[in-house]
């Protein structure tokens, strides 16, 4: 219905078009929203975009590049892990232009920024399975990842690293780096451990030929608790299989890889960072401190060689360390090492002779053949004997003649020498309790019956015997005058008058002193529970008794029932570990073991 | 000023009366609103605002990581562009090309064209017509919303198989899709001609 024709392109029949209705605009909220300004929405979008971008950029830590010789299948998306958690991600893996290695770029998380510093070591974790250890097993099925050992905390920032080719096992930051120079590498590789007393105390971080090409420099990282080994005098050598007739050593290195063994110097010396490694294990590594070194000389070598055992009554007590000509070539000299527990066996009058492993005797009855242990068949042994009056003890360096054969009388020598008091202060002898049998007769329903009780008693130097009360006093049911005690071939009549009782302990007097009597100055009445050692029948029978296993009760120290003690030990001696004095007696009270401590009256009773 | 306009709902052509503020012209047949008073015509402004918002969000949407997948220790994080590059790198030119075309190029074209039409009033009419046609064509093939749907389907299907997280780009992506839809909804093709006419 428009009268006025429109501007440029009027419709063909404008008059037919209706005019639109005019209506008041509704003022509802959706109407306003549909027609209002939208710039606030644009602002919101900009804020969202800026926020997302900024947070994404901030979530991105430093990017580092690590050069490896081998990629081991690492690929973008693999993680950088430290102490088991992901702290970064491989973004690209590129082959170097000169084709000699690869470069792995890692985007680190911001919290890991501290790892991007000089001294950090990176390596690709991959499965390593050997008999010695298994590591990186999770990478068999999962993704490879990059491990990292952080550098020193105050080091400078760094973004380019040379990766280690072999996984490093340690993650401690308190470490000491040393270099050991060997003449031979013996196949050492990065990651091999340094072991001391069979456990790893460090790790090889690099192996390279030294500048003069006459040796191998092995960089070693020692754990913090082993840092004391980096001192003047410590000895390092590469443990490797060593098989000879005396034994097989280092066999574990055949399958599990080499390791560097270390023998630290026991005393405090100057710290050192460059060491010269030994070609083979030092002889002293087979020794404990406190042993005895003696020299054997002989006109002819006669089986003396390194590793030959020194035997006493068939027990190995030491070994020959070196054998060679004396300086003037007139004799053969061998240095032998006697273990500390057995050094008491060697006295001035001790004799050493060559014990061949096999003894042939041709006689009318045929061939008599005697052989000792297999190693002595192959090597022979150095046998020794000490006479009953052994003379003075000897010190390291004492020279002994080495005889080709034993004289018959030597084999009959039977000196009683306490040995093996390893738990006690050095040189302490051990008490020798005697087997005692208490015999008595009881009358039951008019019939006499023999009864006996067994145990151990200890003779003292002042003609006393001490032991459990029930072993030294007549039983209440016993027939009068029927109770006797048999000790070491002596028969003692026991009555209530002969015995002094002190609680669970008792003493009786004897006429004749025993040869194995215990010195009276080595008795002590303990005031509190302390570390002790039960000494039983033979010198080998010793039970260490930690104070923690003892509980003070009335009349004695109850022994933890979890510590099995044979009731046959009733009456065994108990020594204090601290000073080697006798402080008590092992007694059984209704099958419960306890230590009955000596009392002051018992100790200071002078007969 | 009088002009003619077809009802966008039923298509009946009306001549438009002069309107004062608070009035709208309505279709005589279907009663849909055809036109508003001149000072309330904000179609171009609204389109420009929404298109600008979409444009700003478009870049984080395609460059920031959109998916974080973790499977058996493998951690994978990829953006839309990264995914397309990966597809190309693996030789999947067809799929990569389709995703690139319909999820990046066409949506971007549409947004830019909308911006151009609504914001820049300097253009020659002929140029405007070409731009408008391109926008119409490209807009049909702009399938960001479809891609979003695809991601959602993947989330449902793979949820139990792998550990699956949306990256920050998803927020940008959703907002971008919403803004570009709002922009095309607000766009009133009549207005671009009116502006030039005046």
């Amino acid at each position: 219905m428009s009268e006025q024709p429109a501007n440029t392109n009027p419709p063909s029949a404008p008059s037919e078009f209706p005019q639109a209705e005019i209506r008041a605009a509704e003022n509802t909220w959706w109407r306003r929203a549909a027609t209002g300004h939208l710039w606030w929405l644009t602002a919101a979008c900009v804020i969202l975009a800026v926020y997302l971008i900024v947070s994404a950029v901030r979530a991105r830590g430093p990017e580092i590049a690590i050069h490896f010789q081998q990629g081991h299948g690492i690929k973008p998306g693999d993680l950088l892990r430290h102490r088991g958690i992901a702290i970064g991600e491989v973004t690209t893996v590129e082959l170097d232009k000169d084709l000699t290695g690869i470069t792995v770029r890692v985007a680190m998380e911001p919290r890991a920024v501290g790892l991007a510093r000089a001294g950090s070591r990176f390596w690709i974790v991959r499965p390593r399975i050997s008999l010695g250890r298994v590591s990186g097993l999770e990478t068999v099925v999962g993704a490879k990842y990059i491990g990292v050992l952080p550098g020193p905390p105050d080091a400078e920032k760094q973004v380019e690293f040379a990766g280690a080719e072999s996984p490093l096992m340690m993650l401690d930051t308190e470490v000491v780096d040393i270099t050991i120079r060997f003449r031979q590498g013996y196949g050492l590789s990065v990651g091999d451990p340094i072991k001391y007393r069979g456990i790893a105390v460090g790790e090889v971080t690099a192996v390279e030929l030294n500048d003069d090409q006459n040796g191998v420099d092995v960089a070693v990282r020692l754990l913090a608790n082993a840092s004391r080994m980096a001192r003047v005098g410590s000895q390092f050598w590469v443990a490797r299989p060593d098989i000879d007739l005396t034994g097989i050593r280092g066999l574990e290195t055949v399958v599990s890889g080499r390791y560097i063994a270390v023998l630290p110097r026991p005393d405090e010396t100057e710290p050192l960072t460059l060491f010269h490694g030994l070609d083979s294990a030092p002889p002293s590594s087979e020794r404990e401190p406190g042993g005895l070194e003696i020299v054997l000389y002989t006109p002819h070598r006669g089986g003396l060689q390194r590793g030959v055992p020194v035997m006493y009554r068939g027990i190995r007590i030491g070994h020959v360390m070196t054998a060679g000509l004396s300086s003037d070539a007139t004799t053969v000299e061998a240095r032998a090492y006697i273990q500390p527990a057995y050094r008491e066996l060697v006295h001035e009058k001790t004799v050493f002779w060559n014990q061949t492993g096999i003894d042939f005797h041709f006689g009318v009855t045929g061939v008599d053949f005697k052989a000792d242990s297999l190693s002595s068949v192959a090597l022979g042994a150095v046998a020794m004997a000490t006479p009953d009056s052994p003379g003075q003890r000897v010190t390291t360096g004492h020279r002994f003649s080495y005889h080709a054969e034993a004289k018959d009388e030597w084999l009959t020598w039977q000196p009683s020498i306490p040995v093996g008091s390893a738990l006690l202060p050095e040189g302490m002898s051990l008490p020798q309790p005697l087997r005692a049998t208490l015999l008595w007769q009881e009358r039951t329903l008019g019939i006499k019956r023999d009864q006996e009780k067994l145990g151990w008693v200890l003779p003292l130097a002042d003609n006393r015997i001490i032991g459990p009360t029930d072993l030294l006093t007549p039983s209440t049911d016993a027939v009068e005058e029927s109770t006797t005690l048999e000790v070491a071939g002596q028969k003692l009549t026991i009555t209530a008058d002969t015995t002094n009782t002190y609680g669970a302990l008792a003493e009786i007097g004897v006429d004749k002193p025993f040869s194995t009597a215990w010195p009276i100055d080595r008795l002590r009445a303990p005031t509190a529970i302390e570390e002790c050692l039960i000494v039983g029948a033979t010198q080998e029978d010793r039970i260490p008794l930690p104070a923690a296993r003892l509980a003070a009760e009335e009349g004695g120290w109850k022994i933890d029932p979890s510590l099995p003690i044979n009731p046959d030990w009733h009456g065994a001696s108990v020594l204090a570990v601290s000073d080697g004095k006798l402080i008590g007696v092992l007694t059984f009270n209704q099958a419960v073991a306890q230590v009955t401590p000596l009392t002051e009256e018992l100790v200071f009773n002078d007969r | 000023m009088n002009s003619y306009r077809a009802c966008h709902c039923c298509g009946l052509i009306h001549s438009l009366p002069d309107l004062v503020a608070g009035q709208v012209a309505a279709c005589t047949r279907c009663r849909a609103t055809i036109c508003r008073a001149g000072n309330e015509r904000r179609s171009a402004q609204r389109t420009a605002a929404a298109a600008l918002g979409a444009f700003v969000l478009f870049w984080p949407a395609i460059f920031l990581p959109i998916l974080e997948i973790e499977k058996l220790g493998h951690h994978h994080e990829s953006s839309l562009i990264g995914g397309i590059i990966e597809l190309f790198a693996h030789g999947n030119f067809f799929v990569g090309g389709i995703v690139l075309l319909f999820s990046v190029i066409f949506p971007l074209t549409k947004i830019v064209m909308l911006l151009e039409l609504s914001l820049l009033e300097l253009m020659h009419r002929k140029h405007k017509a070409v731009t408008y046609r391109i926008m119409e064509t490209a807009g049909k093939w702009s399938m960001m919303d479809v891609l979003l749907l695809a991601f959602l389907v993947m989330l449902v299907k793979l949820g139990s198989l792998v550990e699956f997280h949306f990256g920050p780009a998803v927020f940008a992506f959703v907002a971008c899709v919403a803004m570009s839809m709002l922009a095309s909804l607000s766009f009133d093709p009549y207005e671009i001609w009116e502006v030039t006419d005046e």
Side-chain angles (χ1 to χ4, degrees), chain A residues 376-391:
Chain A
S376 67
V377 168
L379 272 177
V382 176
M384 62 160 277
T386 300
D388 296 335
S389 52

Side-chain angles (χ1 to χ4, degrees), chain A residues 135-413:
Chain A
S135 69
L137 206 57
E138 70 273 31
T139 59
V140 173
V141 286
K144 304 273 186 301
Y145 61 88
I146 296 182
V148 57
L149 182 65
D154 48 353
E156 283 176 27
K157 215 171 171 262
Q158 186 178 339
V159 292
E160 296 259 327
F161 295 92
E165 293 306 310
S166 179
L168 304 169
M169 297 293 285
M170 290 177 304
L171 286 167
D172 288 78
T173 49
E174 297 287 319
V175 293
V176 176
D177 287 308
I178 59 169
T179 303
I180 309 170
R181 188 161 288 172
F182 288 104
R183 289 213 308 214
Q184 279 278 330
Y186 295 114
L188 274 181
S189 61
V190 173
D192 283 343
I194 317 297
K195 287 188 179 179
Y196 176 60
R197 292 183 185 270
I199 60 160
V201 296
E203 179 169 71
V204 173
T205 54
V207 180
E208 44 200 36
L209 209 57
N210 70 6
D211 296 339
D212 303 335
Q213 307 218 338
N214 59 2
V216 178
D217 280 354
V218 179
V220 166
R221 181 163 281 193
L222 289 175
L223 285 172
N225 59 11
S227 58
R228 280 189 63 235
M229 294 176 184
R231 289 179 185 279
V232 175
S234 288
Q235 292 171 306
F236 297 86
W237 68 97
V238 180
R240 53 187 197 277
D242 183 8
I243 300 174
D244 63 23
L245 284 168
T246 63
I248 300 174
R249 283 174 290 276
L251 195 62
E252 70 274 25
T253 61
V254 174
V255 285
S256 69
R258 306 296 148 109
Y259 63 89
I260 297 180
V262 56
L263 181 71
R265 180 143 171 146
D267 45 347
E268 292 281 329
T269 51
E270 287 292 300
L272 191 68
T273 55
L274 179 65
F275 293 86
H276 290 271
L278 305 176
D279 284 339
S280 60
S284 53
S285 73
E286 298 157 21
R287 315 177 328 196
E288 301 166 48
L292 180 69
E293 277 185 45
I294 52 170
V295 179
L296 305 174
Y297 62 94
T298 171
H300 187 261
R301 183 174 181 175
L304 281 178
Q305 68 177 73
R306 177 175 182 267
V308 168
V310 178
M311 310 286 259
Y312 181 75
R313 298 185 190 280
I315 304 286
R316 183 186 170 125
I317 61 166
H319 60 268
V320 174
M321 295 190 299
T322 60
L325 284 176
S326 63
S327 54
D328 58 357
T330 54
T331 55
V332 172
E333 280 190 0
R335 281 153 59 81
Y337 169 76
I338 308 294
Q339 290 166 23
Y342 300 109
R343 62 178 296 167
E344 303 287 328
L345 292 175
V346 182
H347 285 73
E348 273 180 339
K349 292 183 181 167
T350 300
V351 290
F352 294 85
W353 70 92
N354 180 17
Q355 186 180 48
T356 51
I358 307 172
D359 215 1
F360 283 108
H361 283 287
F362 297 95
V364 284
T365 54
V367 181
D368 190 13
F369 175 88
K370 278 191 221 160
D372 209 34
S373 65
L374 190 60
S375 75
S376 67
V377 168
L379 272 177
V382 176
M384 62 160 277
T386 300
D388 296 335
S389 52
Q392 295 290 312
R393 282 172 56 184
V394 299
T395 52
T396 289
H398 197 89
R399 296 170 67 87
F400 290 95
S401 176
Y402 180 64
H403 303 271
E405 273 185 15
K407 291 179 187 160
D408 288 343
E409 57 168 311
W410 297 349
L411 302 175
T412 62
W413 289 347

Side-chain angles (χ1 to χ4, degrees), chain A residues 19 21 23 25 31 37 42 75, chain B residues 17 22 24 26 36 45 49 74:
Chain A
Q19 186 169 26
E21 254 176 58
R23 211 167 57 191
R31 181 58 54 193
H37 287 286
T42 313
K75 60 187 182 305
Chain B
V24 293
R36 294 174 183 284
Q45 258 189 46
H74 286 269

